Amino acid sequence: MGRRWIFDGHIAGIGTASGLRAVVGIWQESPFGPFADAMVQLPSGRRILLAPTGDVAEFIAATYSFEEVRVVDAAAVLAGQTLRVDAGPLVIRAGIGRRALLGALLRTVPRPLAAHTRWLTAVSPLAAVASPGARTFGTAGNGRLEFYGVSDLHHIGSAAVRWEGTDAGTLSPINPPVTFGFSSVPPRPSLARVRTTVVEES
């Protein structure tokens, strides 16, 4: 294996009645420092990346697939049971609900093991059964491998979402799954505690 990048933080997956779906990354630690980004898939299927800097945009766009990339002022604040996202045309105000049953199970796995690439490779088929559309290991863009180590999961109980100033509709399942990469997020809107490792194949 070649170079690797590690991102530690949270991922929020949100669906709306209009068909707009969003995946928000809130990264407390990363090779780029703390930052937030958002991947949006419109009802038409068009995929848009909202990133805070050119360097972050370049890295994410080389790992995932988008029709459009925008560098915008992107901020996400996770405080208690509230998530606030302001990322250019995307505004989210979400309430974090109870821990999911899967989240309780994930918390029984020691975090160093839960984020280990060998473990994530082995349990990826089980993850697909436990959360349809989700994977813990797969091939990303530009000869990169990606590993998702999830250590907790909470349902999102409420959300107000606006896109380009227009209400995107009530909180809804993420259906169809997003198609930015090899894995979607859980079908039910949720917030996951995640350590993501991206590895460049040698």
Side-chain angles (χ1 to χ4, degrees):
M1 296 292 180
R3 188 178 177 189
R4 65 175 54 203
W5 302 262
I6 296 175
F7 299 79
D8 201 299
H10 294 79
I11 292 176
I14 290 179
T16 66
S18 69
L20 180 144
R21 290 143 287 152
V23 177
V24 179
I26 309 105
W27 304 109
Q28 285 81 32
E29 298 179 26
S30 86
F32 304 95
F35 75 92
D37 70 279
M39 304 178 191
V40 176
Q41 191 152 22
L42 302 180
S44 65
R46 185 175 180 81
R47 298 163 297 185
I48 302 171
L49 170 64
L50 306 173
T53 68
D55 287 346
V56 169
E58 182 179 4
F59 180 86
I60 297 175
T63 308
Y64 298 92
S65 298
F66 304 95
E67 280 73 48
E68 183 179 352
V69 175
R70 303 186 195 179
V71 175
V72 301
D73 289 331
V77 177
L78 184 58
Q81 299 301 107
T82 302
L83 172 64
R84 299 170 58 92
V85 179
D86 295 277
L90 178 69
V91 176
I92 299 173
R93 300 291 182 266
I96 310 305
R98 62 183 175 83
R99 177 172 285 117
L101 175 59
L102 180 57
L105 294 173
L106 289 167
R107 280 166 57 86
T108 66
V109 181
R111 195 146 195 265
L113 175 61
H116 197 285
T117 56
R118 289 184 182 176
W119 167 264
L120 295 171
T121 302
V123 301
S124 192
L126 298 177
V129 174
S131 183
R135 302 289 187 274
T136 57
F137 162 72
T139 303
N142 285 308
R144 294 172 179 173
L145 303 176
E146 190 166 18
F147 303 83
Y148 291 108
V150 181
S151 56
D152 201 358
L153 185 70
H154 283 254
H155 296 306
I156 291 178
S158 63
V161 181
R162 298 186 69 81
W163 175 254
E164 295 185 333
T166 300
D167 186 351
T170 57
L171 184 68
S172 299
I174 300 158
N175 185 34
V178 293
T179 58
F180 307 112
F182 67 87
S183 177
S184 182
V185 289
R188 183 170 176 175
S190 59
L191 177 76
R193 181 80 172 90
V194 178
R195 176 171 290 179
T196 299
T197 302
V198 179
V199 179
E200 195 173 64
E201 293 187 275
S202 56

